[in-house]
Structure formats: structure tokens, C-alpha cells
Amino acid sequence: MTFIRLIAATLAACLFALPAAAFDTKAHAAWVYDLSTKTVLMAKNADIPLPPASMSKLMTLDLLFEALEDGRVTMDTTFPVSEHAQSMGGSTMFLNTTDRPTVRDLIQGIIINSGNDACVVVAEGLAGSESSFADLMTERAHELGMKNSMFANSNGWPDPGQRMSVHDLGIVASRIITHFPQYYHFFSETHFNYKDRAPANAENRNPLLDIRAADWKADGMKTGHTQEAGYGLVGSAVMGERRIVFVLAGMPSEQSRRSEGEAVANWAFRQFVMKDVAKAGTQLAEAPVWLGGKSTVGLAPKTDLSLLVPAGAKDKVTAEAVFKGPLQAPIKQGQEVGKLVITVPGLDNANEVPLVATEDVKKGGFVVRVKAALARLSGKAFEAAMERVNS
């Protein structure tokens, strides 16, 4: 592989970055993600399996949304309520065995009321039993790349076999937002009282939904609390074209969950800015060409290039064009020939953008091929002479 460090004026003029001011969150574990640019902004104890409490209900919702998507159920499908579901304690919809709630009722009951009973009804309705559904949750989570998750139940009730990392919670939250946008509006609903049974439990517990910042707005997703887990929050907020997802776990109180959630959102939006770096087709570097009518070809990003970078004043972003070189003629304009790897200080994950050729390069004629052959022979003669010297 050939590496070329770009000194292109386009990049130098557009990228200004210093590491973002560190945010020392009070949460035991945290994961903050810019969904718009797929950039991890913070990871603290992010891959440690922890008791997720009701935040694990997101996995139950994900499987329910999948069932809606493939037609196994509709919003008007009704499910029976078993004695096991009715017996659930903690936060509930106050369902009983005479009820036949619809899928729509259950989604609202899970998100807004954090209904433990609603989760059991969904689990039994989709898989026959809660234990079978928990097995499906674990299997599906691993398929989605959630390596530090396992489930013993559908609702986050305390159990040694119920564990998720904050990173994994971020994965399922991001998936719900991107794969099931038609259902995402439920997460911003603030009130649901099934058959007027639970006025004391009818309000969405998400403490950020009533925060109206001047330029950003929270619109999801799920809280959690048990004595073992502490207070947790999976949140999402938007500002302009940016959306962030953040997961906080192990906080000591409801107030700390609210204040820390707001502080994290402010930090993510204030300490990082979007920069338009280059338009598609703008030449950023050159690559050598072997046996071509031209000795070099320009390299340009395949698509418009924008980056999320920490706010600052110095240009410490590095960019490298990576390709197998020299490139072999013929080459077509627009042909993908390498990638641009951009490393931003303060962010662990590098950005990669495909690079394409800016023009056609035909095979070289007779003279080019002769020169290349002579160069190769000269190189072999030199190597043979050096072997004789060293022998």
C-alpha cells in the first residue's frame, strides 16, 4: 500500500480542530454518538455489561417494530394478557386478564408508562413465552453487533442474566431511529393513560422532553431505574441537521439524570461543529500511474465531504490518501481507486471516504512500455551487481 499525506490547500483551509474540552460526566458509564456523521464523541466504561433496568425495553420494542415491518402484526392486532403479565410489579399499565390491548396501546404503554406488564404481553404474543422471547432478544442483539448484551426477561426486571452495555444500548437506540422512523414519534409523546387506570403513571419519565433549548430539542428515548442499576437514560436530540444519541447509566438520582442528560446534550452540540471540507470531484491529491499515457492521476472524494470536528483554532486534522500503487493503466474517470482516511484529534474513530480518479488515463504507447521495461531491467541489473559485491 502507498500512503500519501495530503497537504492540499482545500483541507488546510477548511479543517480547524483541537481536541474537544473533556466532559467529566458523573455517570458511571456513558456513550455519546453523533448519528448524522456516525461519530463516537464519548465512551466511558462503554462496553461493560451492566444491569440496564427499563432501558432494555428498547430491545423489546425493536423486535416488536420488526414484527410490524414484516407484517406479522399490525397496529390494531390485539394480544391477550396472561396472569403472569398481570402479576408484574413496578411501573405498569395496570393490565388485567380481561384486557385485549392493541399493539399501538402496548407501544405507548412501554414507552410512556414503562409498563413491565406491557412488555410481557408483547413477549408472550410474539414468542409464546417470556423466556423464549428473552432468548430471541439475546440472539437478535448479537446479530446486530451488541456483544455485551444478554436477556432473561422482556422488561429489565432485576436479574443476574439481564445485562447490556451502554454501547449496546446506543446501538439499538440508533437502529430504532434509522430503521423504524415511522414509529419514532411515540418516543416524544408525553401522556398515556390506558382506560384511565393509571393517572399517577401516565407521564413519560424522560426528563429532557420538557426542555426547550434555543436551538436543540430532545425527542426520545427511554429511562431506567432499579436499586442495582441506579438511574439511567437513553436520550436523543436534534439540532439542525445533526442528531445525537447518548446513553448514561449509574447516576444517583432523578435530578442528576436530568441535569447530566442536559449537560451532555449541550456539550455534544456546543463542542463539535460540522465542517464542509470538499465537494465531490475536487482534486485533493495525485497518485502515480504505471504504464499510462500520463504519469499521474488526480484523486478526488467520491461524494461531498463534511466532517464533525471539535471546536478549536488549530488545524490538527490529518488526512492520508491510501491506495495500492502505482495505479495500473487504463483508468476511467470516476473509478474508485483508494480511500481518504481522516483522523480528528479528540475522536477515536477515523473517517474514511472513497477516492476516485479525476480523469481517464489510457495505456501508454510503445515508448512508454519500452522505458518501463528498461527501468525494470536496470533495477534488476543493479540488484545483481549488489549481490556480487556482497558475496
Side-chain angles (χ1 to χ4, degrees):
M1 301 289 282
T2 299
F3 295 84
I4 297 180
R5 184 171 297 277
L6 300 183
I7 313 296
T10 305
L11 288 180
C14 294
L15 295 179
F16 301 95
L18 283 176
F23 184 80
D24 186 17
T25 177
K26 297 175 184 175
H28 170 68
W31 192 75
V32 185
Y33 186 61
D34 188 275
L35 185 60
S36 307
T37 59
K38 298 180 174 57
T39 305
V40 177
L41 307 182
M42 179 198 299
K44 175 183 178 181
N45 296 326
D47 292 309
I48 297 175
L50 300 170
S54 287
M55 294 186 291
S56 66
K57 289 180 169 76
L58 291 177
M59 196 66 214
T60 297
L61 288 165
D62 183 77
L63 290 181
L64 180 55
F65 293 156
E66 286 186 3
L68 281 164
E69 184 179 52
D70 61 26
R72 283 177 284 144
V73 299
T74 70
M75 282 291 185
D76 296 322
T77 299
T78 59
F79 286 142
V81 179
S82 67
E83 291 184 0
H84 172 49
Q86 179 180 299
S87 71
M88 291 305 303
S91 56
T92 71
M93 284 175 63
F94 293 92
L95 296 171
N96 62 56
T97 56
T98 66
D99 292 323
R100 292 295 183 273
T102 65
V103 166
R104 183 183 301 275
D105 292 331
L106 294 166
I107 291 172
Q108 292 174 298
I110 293 171
I111 294 173
I112 301 169
N113 307 138
S114 198
N116 293 325
D117 51 356
C119 287
V120 174
V121 170
V122 168
E124 292 175 340
L126 292 180
S129 70
E130 188 177 20
S131 60
S132 295
F133 188 76
D135 291 340
L136 289 176
M137 293 171 73
T138 301
E139 179 181 349
R140 189 71 181 110
H142 292 171
E143 289 172 354
L144 295 174
M146 300 160 63
K147 300 177 182 179
N148 298 293
S149 294
M150 61 179 181
F151 301 92
N153 57 60
S154 62
N155 50 36
W157 196 257
D159 189 294
Q162 189 88 358
R163 293 291 184 266
M164 296 182 77
S165 68
V166 293
H167 184 185
D168 285 356
L169 280 162
I171 290 174
V172 68
S174 300
R175 170 177 161 77
I176 287 172
I177 293 169
T178 56
H179 283 72
F180 305 111
Q182 65 271 40
Y183 310 126
Y184 185 67
H185 65 90
F186 286 111
F187 289 94
S188 61
E189 294 183 7
T190 58
H191 181 89
F192 180 68
N193 187 3
Y194 183 70
K195 294 186 176 181
D196 295 322
R197 291 179 186 170
N201 191 41
E203 304 303 319
N204 195 318
R205 290 171 170 79
N206 188 335
L208 303 187
L209 293 181
D210 62 353
I211 293 176
R212 294 293 180 263
D215 52 3
W216 64 264
K217 178 184 177 182
D219 55 10
M221 298 183 68
K222 192 71 191 74
T223 60
H225 170 249
T226 64
Q227 185 174 359
E228 179 187 18
Y231 289 85
L233 172 65
V234 180
S236 186
V238 290
M239 185 176 77
E241 296 182 357
R242 286 185 60 195
R243 174 176 288 279
I244 59 170
V245 174
F246 51 98
V247 185
L248 307 174
M251 287 171 288
S253 67
E254 283 188 82
Q255 178 55 41
S256 64
R257 175 169 64 190
R258 177 188 175 91
S259 60
E260 203 69 4
E262 184 175 5
V264 163
N266 273 318
W267 172 80
F269 286 130
R270 311 299 178 204
Q271 277 296 314
F272 298 87
V273 294
M274 287 293 298
K275 289 287 186 181
D276 294 327
V277 177
K279 292 291 185 181
T282 302
Q283 181 172 320
L284 300 179
E286 286 187 338
V289 176
W290 174 250
L291 294 180
K294 296 181 179 180
S295 60
T296 62
V297 66
L299 303 180
K302 186 175 183 179
T303 58
D304 291 348
L305 176 57
S306 297
L307 289 178
L308 187 71
V309 297
K314 302 273 187 173
D315 52 335
K316 293 191 175 181
V317 174
T318 61
E320 291 180 324
V322 182
F323 54 89
K324 292 181 179 179
L327 303 177
Q328 183 76 44
I331 300 169
K332 292 288 188 181
Q333 182 179 6
Q335 178 182 335
E336 190 170 319
V337 292
K339 61 185 178 180
L340 183 68
V341 180
I342 303 171
T343 305
V344 181
L347 299 178
D348 292 335
N349 49 319
N351 296 272
E352 294 188 359
V353 181
L355 288 174
V356 297
T358 58
E359 58 184 327
D360 291 338
V361 179
K362 297 180 179 180
K363 279 188 176 181
F366 175 76
V367 174
V368 170
R369 293 196 298 273
V370 168
K371 286 182 177 179
L374 289 174
R376 183 176 294 178
L377 288 173
S378 297
K380 289 181 177 179
F382 177 77
E383 291 173 3
M386 290 304 295
E387 286 179 3
R388 288 193 296 271
V389 170
N390 294 326
S391 60

